[in-house]
Amino acid sequence: TCAQYKKVKGKSSQQCRRFPDVLPDDYKRITTQANGKHQIWYFILTQLNDPTKKSVIVWTGHQRHFRVRDKAMLCHLWSRHNGKTQDVKWDSVCRLMRTTGEHGLMMAVSSEEHRGRNKDGEFGFVIEPAFYLKMTREALDKQIRLHCENGPLTVGSPIDSSWGYPEGTQLQVVPMMPLDQEGNVIASSVPEPSYITVLPISPNQFIQPQFESIHSCLPSSYSPTMSIPSSSSPSSYSQTMPISSSP
């Protein structure tokens, strides 16, 4: 994957960089720093796997691209994760993310409107990150489709049983909600729980392939103060947040 970053004479660096059509598997990446804290790319992955952080960072729904919606809050969460009392600046976080690009992990998404520039706050993984979330590619595909910025469990749009859920299953919608300074959802801003009911497949609709079940939806007992401890792993987090379903 490092070959994706090699500069070609006569072309801008943005033109030389591109995301592979199929992200390669890479199982040997180190997820922690020397001090035991998460590396920036793995920290970002854990935030993307937390549905309550959609107002800060969220999947775009295209490949493994994601968008940083609240740069100040992401810097605050990263600083708190590393035990710093003063928040680092966004430029410093960007430099760290560019370093991961040099090592073939993730990189900025090039702008289609402005040649030679990157989309503001939009990045993407160059390797397949599903392994580090203890998931399969198919399971991560489904979670991203459900919880991306325009996904049905973000905006509350209906889905049918072609997604792999039995007809009549109720899934809780997790919209983008503001966070307090500790990174927890502000209780006063939490709306009444809303659900979408899985509809039957239309006879004229193309049947999509079935995906395996994943733990990606908030339970009915969701607490606004729920957050991921910095020492926890994505796998343990998913076990505490099973899909909420009822007939």
Side-chain angles (χ1 to χ4, degrees), residues 56-57 66-71 74 90 97 121-123:
V56 179
I57 186 170
F66 60 89
R67 191 187 320 279
V68 180
R69 296 177 54 87
D70 191 337
K71 299 175 183 177
L74 183 66
W90 172 245
M97 296 173 75
E122 190 168 331
F123 302 84

Side-chain angles (χ1 to χ4, degrees), residues 159-168 197-210:
I159 64 174
D160 58 37
S161 54
S162 65
W163 286 71
Y165 297 108
E167 178 185 342
T197 302
V198 178
L199 304 174
I201 301 177
S202 172
N204 298 324
Q205 182 177 350
F206 173 75
I207 300 178
Q208 301 176 2
Q210 301 293 314

Side-chain angles (χ1 to χ4, degrees), residues 40-217:
I40 183 69
W41 69 271
Y42 187 70
F43 169 80
I44 286 175
L45 197 55
T46 60
Q47 302 307 300
L48 287 167
N49 199 44
D50 182 353
T52 66
K53 298 295 193 297
K54 291 179 183 179
S55 62
V56 179
I57 186 170
V58 65
W59 297 107
T60 65
H62 178 66
Q63 291 187 328
R64 298 297 188 252
H65 296 182
F66 60 89
R67 191 187 320 279
V68 180
R69 296 177 54 87
D70 191 337
K71 299 175 183 177
M73 178 56 73
L74 183 66
C75 292
H76 175 73
L77 294 175
W78 173 245
S79 301
R80 189 185 66 172
H81 173 72
N82 285 283
K84 297 183 181 295
T85 57
Q86 187 174 0
D87 291 352
V88 298
K89 295 183 178 180
W90 172 245
D91 290 343
S92 299
V93 174
C94 280
R95 282 196 296 270
L96 286 174
M97 296 173 75
R98 284 197 297 269
T99 300
T100 67
E102 295 171 0
H103 292 87
L105 277 161
M106 60 185 181
M107 64 182 179
V109 176
S110 300
S111 173
E112 297 177 358
E113 295 81 11
H114 303 284
R115 182 178 177 182
R117 297 184 184 180
N118 297 323
K119 290 186 178 179
D120 185 33
E122 190 168 331
F123 302 84
F125 285 91
V126 183
I127 64 169
E128 176 54 58
F131 169 79
Y132 297 97
L133 291 174
K134 313 299 182 186
M135 302 170 68
T136 63
R137 287 177 183 255
E138 293 76 15
L140 183 55
D141 282 339
K142 184 176 182 180
Q143 177 165 316
I144 290 174
R145 291 175 62 206
L146 287 169
H147 286 285
C148 66
E149 54 188 352
N150 296 316
L153 293 187
T154 299
V155 301
S157 58
I159 64 174
D160 58 37
S161 54
S162 65
W163 286 71
Y165 297 108
E167 178 185 342
T169 301
Q170 289 191 323
L171 305 176
Q172 185 173 355
V173 178
V174 190
M176 297 182 184
M177 297 174 285
L179 308 181
D180 60 21
Q181 289 300 315
E182 296 302 317
N184 300 318
V185 176
I186 300 175
S188 60
S189 69
V190 178
E192 290 295 325
S194 61
Y195 300 85
I196 59 174
T197 302
V198 178
L199 304 174
I201 301 177
S202 172
N204 298 324
Q205 182 177 350
F206 173 75
I207 300 178
Q208 301 176 2
Q210 301 293 314
F211 294 92
E212 64 182 77
S213 176
I214 59 172
H215 305 293
S216 62
C217 304

